[in-house]
Amino acid sequence: MKLYPKFVIMNIKKTLFIITLFTISFAFGQDKNLDKLEMYYDQGHYKIVLRKSNKLIDNPDYDYTVVPRLYKSMALFQLNQNKKYRRKNKNSLNEAILLWEYFVKNDIGKRVFDAHIHEIIALKQDLILWKEDLKQIGEQERSNQLAEFLIKNFDHVDNIETGGNIAEETPPTPTEPGKNKTRVELIKFAKTLTGIKYRYGGTDKKGFDCSGFTSYVFKKFEVSLPRRAADQHSGAKKKKIKDAKVGDLVFFSNG
């Protein structure tokens, strides 16, 4: 039996404590690489997300989290909406589906799912629109594949319908964009403005600020919004977050 001086034992314990503390904080705290995935995805830089998520998936230090696979899956779904991309990367849609199923299966306690629910709801809406577009251009097999995927994986995601009867909804009154048809068309129109630069006080295609963008988009659907974000907030009809639907505005306070 080998004896160690007392101060050596104390140093070993201290080292073990530091390693344990680092492991815990790394596993449950903020990680700049994961934060970057979220930032690039929200900005629409899907190829960067794909490249960076692949690096993290190959890095053993990130075996503890399913976040890189979640973002890789979402990025692939987004990239596949480009006809040239999916023609060039024929198996990438199947890979996106497999990664999503891995993410759902391994997200113990659904912590990651709940933390990214707003991105997941937005992805669901994108896939619904894409499914309808594929049907219109004659890619029925891929449209059916997406429909099956949505039913299997997104039926429990609230607030957005996955049915195929969007176009049959009764048109809303001009002052209330409450029906699915108008809401889907509003989002579709808003996405056509992607890439226009931010401009403080901007209200047109030369540049938008946040409230200038929302007022511009809603005006196209005969819904008049106040110019300032504070006025849009104060004049809005409030609802609980669980009742929110695609096309509703979400306001954030400072901090």
Side-chain angles (χ1 to χ4, degrees):
M1 178 175 162
K2 199 168 182 178
L3 297 176
Y4 292 93
K6 187 177 179 181
F7 77 91
V8 173
I9 294 172
M10 288 177 67
N11 283 339
I12 291 170
K13 286 181 178 178
K14 185 178 180 182
T15 303
L16 287 172
F17 173 75
I18 291 170
I19 292 170
T20 304
L21 186 65
F22 173 78
T23 304
I24 291 171
S25 64
F26 185 72
F28 295 102
Q30 292 294 314
D31 181 276
K32 66 178 182 180
N33 289 320
L34 300 181
D35 289 343
K36 282 181 180 178
L37 285 183
E38 182 176 357
M39 179 187 73
Y40 286 127
Y41 181 83
D42 290 344
Q43 292 175 350
H45 300 303
Y46 304 125
K47 287 184 179 179
I48 296 176
V49 173
L50 189 59
R51 188 170 68 249
K52 288 186 175 294
S53 60
N54 275 330
K55 285 183 179 179
L56 296 183
I57 289 168
D58 291 338
N59 186 341
D61 288 341
Y62 288 86
D63 286 348
Y64 74 93
T65 178
V66 293
V67 171
R69 285 176 172 83
L70 166 64
Y71 276 104
K72 182 177 180 180
S73 176
M74 293 196 298
L76 284 172
F77 277 123
Q78 299 290 358
L79 288 167
N80 266 274
Q81 293 176 53
N82 182 296
K83 197 170 184 177
K84 287 183 181 177
Y85 183 89
R86 63 177 181 268
R87 192 182 294 153
K88 213 174 188 181
N89 302 271
K90 293 180 180 178
N91 202 41
S92 56
L93 179 58
N94 292 330
E95 186 181 5
I97 292 171
L98 289 173
L99 282 164
W100 186 272
E101 290 173 349
Y102 177 94
F103 154 64
V104 171
K105 183 180 177 182
N106 290 277
D107 183 18
I108 308 302
K110 306 296 181 190
R111 287 185 302 177
V112 176
F113 190 98
D114 291 342
H116 296 271
I117 188 63
H118 295 297
E119 287 168 315
I120 290 168
I121 289 173
L123 175 66
K124 179 179 180 180
Q125 181 60 26
D126 288 340
L127 294 181
I128 291 169
L129 293 171
W130 183 32
K131 173 177 70 75
E132 295 302 315
D133 287 343
L134 287 170
K135 189 188 293 183
Q136 289 177 18
I137 63 174
E139 294 193 40
Q140 191 63 50
E141 187 178 341
R142 191 172 270 114
S143 177
N144 292 340
Q145 184 183 16
L146 274 178
E148 186 180 336
F149 173 76
L150 283 162
I151 291 168
K152 182 179 176 182
N153 294 278
F154 284 87
D155 263 7
H156 63 296
V157 179
D158 294 333
N159 303 328
I160 302 172
E161 298 298 325
T162 55
N165 298 322
I166 291 173
E168 297 173 14
E169 293 284 349
T170 306
T173 59
T175 55
E176 176 54 41
K179 297 294 183 180
N180 283 344
K181 179 182 175 183
T182 298
R183 289 174 177 271
V184 170
E185 288 175 347
L186 185 145
I187 297 300
K188 211 166 186 177
F189 171 70
K191 286 191 171 187
T192 66
L193 305 172
T194 301
I196 294 175
K197 293 182 178 180
Y198 178 88
R199 182 165 66 92
Y200 181 76
T203 59
D204 55 33
K205 290 184 178 181
K206 293 177 183 177
F208 294 110
D209 63 11
C210 58
S211 55
F213 175 73
T214 52
S215 58
Y216 181 89
V217 171
F218 275 74
K219 187 178 180 181
K220 291 290 182 182
F221 293 83
E222 299 181 357
V223 179
S224 180
L225 294 182
R227 170 64 190 87
R228 295 174 62 248
D231 295 332
Q232 289 183 13
H233 176 263
S234 61
K237 181 181 177 182
K238 312 296 192 296
K239 59 170 68 175
K240 293 179 180 177
I241 191 67
K242 67 181 181 68
D243 298 323
K245 294 181 180 178
V246 62
D248 287 342
L249 298 179
V250 180
F251 295 88
F252 297 88
S253 61
N254 291 333

